[in-house]
Amino acid sequence: MNTGEPELSGLCAAERRVLEIQAKLHRWASDDPHRRFDDLFNLVADPAFLLVAWDRVRGNKGARTAGVDGETAHYIEAVRGVEGFLEELRADLRARTFRPLPVRRRAIPKVGGKVRYLGIATIRDRVAQASLKLVLEPVFEADFLPCSYGFRPNRRVHDAVAEVHHFASRSYEWIVEGDIKACFDEISHSALLGRVCKRVGDKRVLALVKAFLKAGILAEDGTLTDTSAGSPQGSILSPLLSNVALSVLDEFIAQGPGGPGASPYERAKRRRQGLPNYRLCRYADDWCLAVSGTKAHAEALKEEITGVLATMGLRLSPEKTLVTHIDDGLDFLGWRIQRHRKRGTGKYYVYVYPAKKALAAVKAKIKAWCRRNTNLPLSVLLIHLNRMLRGWTAHFKYGCSNATFSYLRSYLWKQVVRWQERKHRRTPWKQLRRRYGMWPSHGAVELFDPAKVSARRYYYRGTKIATPWPGTA
């Protein structure tokens, strides 16, 4: 693709140019499902794409963290200069001398004593990856199926949960809760590049993708290891590549005789014959398969999926991959989905509400903040708590969350009052109440009340989710 040398008047002009080219790529990919794009590398090195990529990397919270070269985004702005940095990166890309540096590996503690390994790339590599993603994403978005929701534009966790709720309320009562073991660490490079090759014919782009996959890992003890499989978790390009790899599962279910491609007549016929119908809902490497049939049907489908994932070098975790009835309930993406009898009636409905693990996590954060230094004024504590609680309640208000919010209100009040008592050990409770109020406040800052957030229903959008590119379906 001939990009020319546009004179950019600023970031707005660059974003407008990138959006126009992305819309063209998405339209061409949608019109011809078998088209291979042979000239994409010029776009990766295009000044507009690099400027937008820099803006996204700079605006990310991780910009404050350096890679193996020790350079942060602030260092590049203050010392090297953004314009010179992007010109140098562009020159390296066009001259084919760009070589990604190893990612810096850091262990992030998980619940249960386990750790998740995060790969921190250099700022230079992050900008190149972001530019590459801007080019590849509209192409592969034309192929991704509606059942996939993770790390895709205009899609969110609530859509995935709403889809499970939708089908569980319509006779799909058996749920296969899928957990892929170390997904980002075990994806086969050859199988992944094979799927990328189906859409990308530009050898320079393929070589760049392979270079990022093979960049290596620098461990915390200074040991440098090669990467023969997987894509570093935390990389800008990894979510897109993982969706490309896991789309093999989406396609297998979509092409199945009882999958979403079956007509209503065919699904009814299969039910009469005692055969299962099924629907997949996937958010990155977390997925649920809703089955309208028996537990034996769900177990058989789980075994078939095991074979499909093996083609990408992936395997299911035997301990975490479960077959559950909707009456027993399941935890999915921080939500609890379970069928209960409606109070006061004999009817049963599927309800969605925050999972106990999500509630325990926010309680732990509240407790941690309230255990910090009591020498600070109350307003500082309230500001931090309010910021966290507003985000948590905004996420979990799309469900049957009123009871959870009321419980959280009580827990929050007790923790803040105990903080006040530790701060003023010799002050009676009545005096503290007159100073800070029954509901804690300090000056113009008042403690956020979770119980005042009204829960609402998140409506299932199905296949009606629009793409971010104008003029495309």
Side-chain angles (χ1 to χ4, degrees):
M1 180 179 289
N2 185 16
T3 64
E5 298 291 337
E7 291 188 9
L8 302 176
S9 59
L11 180 60
C12 292
E15 289 178 337
R16 186 163 55 250
R17 170 177 167 78
V18 168
L19 189 63
E20 290 172 357
I21 295 177
Q22 284 183 324
K24 290 180 182 179
L25 292 173
H26 186 73
R27 184 171 62 251
W28 295 338
S30 300
D31 292 343
D32 185 0
H34 303 290
R35 175 171 180 168
R36 295 181 76 214
F37 292 81
D38 296 319
D39 191 10
L40 295 176
F41 190 77
N42 289 336
L43 290 178
V44 179
D46 185 82
F49 279 77
L50 289 176
L51 183 58
V52 174
W54 161 260
D55 180 66
R56 295 191 177 181
V57 171
R58 179 66 184 89
N60 192 281
K61 188 177 178 181
R64 295 176 292 182
T65 306
V68 295
D69 60 355
E71 295 184 358
T72 63
H74 176 73
Y75 173 84
I76 292 173
E77 288 178 322
V79 179
R80 297 184 58 179
V82 175
E83 186 175 348
F85 168 77
L86 293 180
E87 282 297 329
E88 181 183 339
L89 175 59
R90 181 168 184 261
D92 289 343
L93 287 170
R94 291 174 65 88
R96 306 286 299 277
T97 58
F98 175 83
R99 296 292 182 272
L101 294 175
V103 298
R104 187 163 62 94
R105 195 177 204 179
R106 286 295 177 267
I108 309 298
K110 292 175 62 177
V111 179
K114 297 182 180 180
V115 294
R116 174 185 286 112
Y117 290 105
L118 190 68
I120 304 172
T122 63
I123 297 293
R124 174 173 168 271
D125 292 351
R126 283 181 237 176
V127 174
Q129 286 187 33
S131 181
L132 184 58
K133 183 185 177 185
L134 288 172
V135 175
L136 295 180
E137 187 174 53
V139 174
F140 286 103
E141 275 292 324
D143 297 334
F144 291 156
L145 298 178
C147 64
S148 169
Y149 294 97
F151 306 112
R152 295 184 58 190
N154 291 349
R155 291 168 175 257
R156 55 186 73 93
V157 168
H158 303 90
D159 291 313
V161 175
E163 178 159 312
V164 176
H165 174 271
H166 175 81
F167 288 111
S169 303
R170 289 163 174 79
S171 79
Y172 291 78
E173 298 181 345
W174 287 100
I175 310 292
V176 181
E177 304 175 58
D179 184 89
I180 301 175
K181 194 168 186 177
C183 175
F184 285 89
D185 298 330
E186 297 188 359
I187 295 176
S188 169
H189 287 176
S190 58
L192 173 59
L193 289 171
R195 293 189 67 81
V196 175
C197 283
K198 292 181 179 180
R199 275 301 199 173
V200 179
D202 193 328
K203 293 183 179 179
R204 296 168 296 176
V205 172
L206 294 173
L208 189 58
V209 173
K210 185 176 181 179
F212 282 122
L213 292 174
K214 302 288 187 181
I217 297 173
L218 184 66
E220 295 184 48
D221 59 359
T223 306
L224 181 62
T225 57
D226 296 331
T227 48
S228 58
S231 179
Q233 192 165 356
S235 161
I236 293 176
L237 200 58
S238 290
L240 176 61
L241 295 180
S242 68
N243 274 331
V244 172
L246 292 173
S247 60
V248 66
L249 174 60
D250 307 342
E251 294 167 3
F252 170 75
I253 296 298
Q255 296 166 4
S263 66
Y265 170 77
E266 291 171 336
R267 291 197 296 271
K269 183 178 179 181
R270 288 179 62 84
R271 282 195 296 269
R272 290 194 299 269
Q273 295 174 344
L275 298 174
N277 296 312
Y278 39 87
R279 294 296 182 96
L280 178 70
C281 176
R282 184 176 64 81
Y283 190 94
D285 58 337
D286 293 323
W287 56 270
C288 285
L289 183 70
V291 181
S292 176
T294 64
K295 185 176 182 179
H297 291 145
E299 293 282 1
L301 287 167
K302 185 181 77 169
E303 295 302 321
E304 292 182 25
I305 289 174
T306 301
V308 172
L309 293 176
T311 62
M312 299 302 301
L314 300 173
R315 53 203 171 103
L316 295 177
S317 172
E319 303 82 15
K320 297 182 180 179
T321 302
L322 308 173
V323 177
T324 311
H325 196 271
I326 193 61
D327 288 343
D328 299 324
L330 69 147
D331 289 347
F332 185 52
L333 302 176
W335 294 85
R336 182 72 179 173
I337 308 172
Q338 190 169 3
R339 185 162 62 186
H340 295 291
R341 181 180 62 84
K342 185 178 180 180
R343 187 180 301 173
T345 70
K347 297 182 179 180
Y348 284 79
Y349 297 95
V350 177
Y351 292 94
V352 177
Y353 47 90
K356 289 184 178 180
K357 185 181 292 186
L359 180 60
V362 73
K363 285 170 60 179
K365 290 181 180 179
I366 293 172
K367 189 173 184 179
W369 273 109
C370 293
R371 288 286 180 179
R372 295 195 176 186
N373 192 354
T374 56
N375 292 327
L376 297 174
L378 177 62
S379 58
V380 175
L381 174 66
L382 298 185
I383 289 171
H384 286 292
L385 289 175
N386 290 353
R387 186 183 298 133
M388 176 187 62
L389 290 167
R390 283 194 180 97
W392 194 87
T393 54
H395 178 80
F396 283 103
K397 70 180 179 181
Y398 295 104
C400 303
S401 307
N402 286 332
T404 303
F405 291 168
S406 297
Y407 170 80
L408 187 61
R409 178 188 191 274
S410 174
Y411 181 84
L412 174 66
W413 182 85
K414 290 177 182 177
Q415 290 295 323
V416 175
V417 166
R418 287 172 183 169
W419 182 90
Q420 293 173 352
E421 291 174 344
R422 286 194 299 273
K423 182 178 177 64
H424 308 281
R425 293 187 181 276
R426 298 183 180 180
T427 306
W429 160 242
K430 289 185 179 180
Q431 189 173 340
L432 288 176
R433 187 177 60 188
R434 284 195 297 268
R435 181 183 302 180
Y436 296 116
M438 189 64 185
W439 185 253
S441 64
H442 191 209
V445 184
E446 184 180 16
L447 180 61
F448 178 75
D449 187 355
K452 289 184 178 179
V453 179
S454 57
R456 63 189 69 178
R457 181 178 177 182
Y458 189 89
Y459 287 94
Y460 173 55
R461 297 193 290 171
T463 59
K464 301 177 183 177
I465 303 176
T467 67
W469 301 290
T472 58

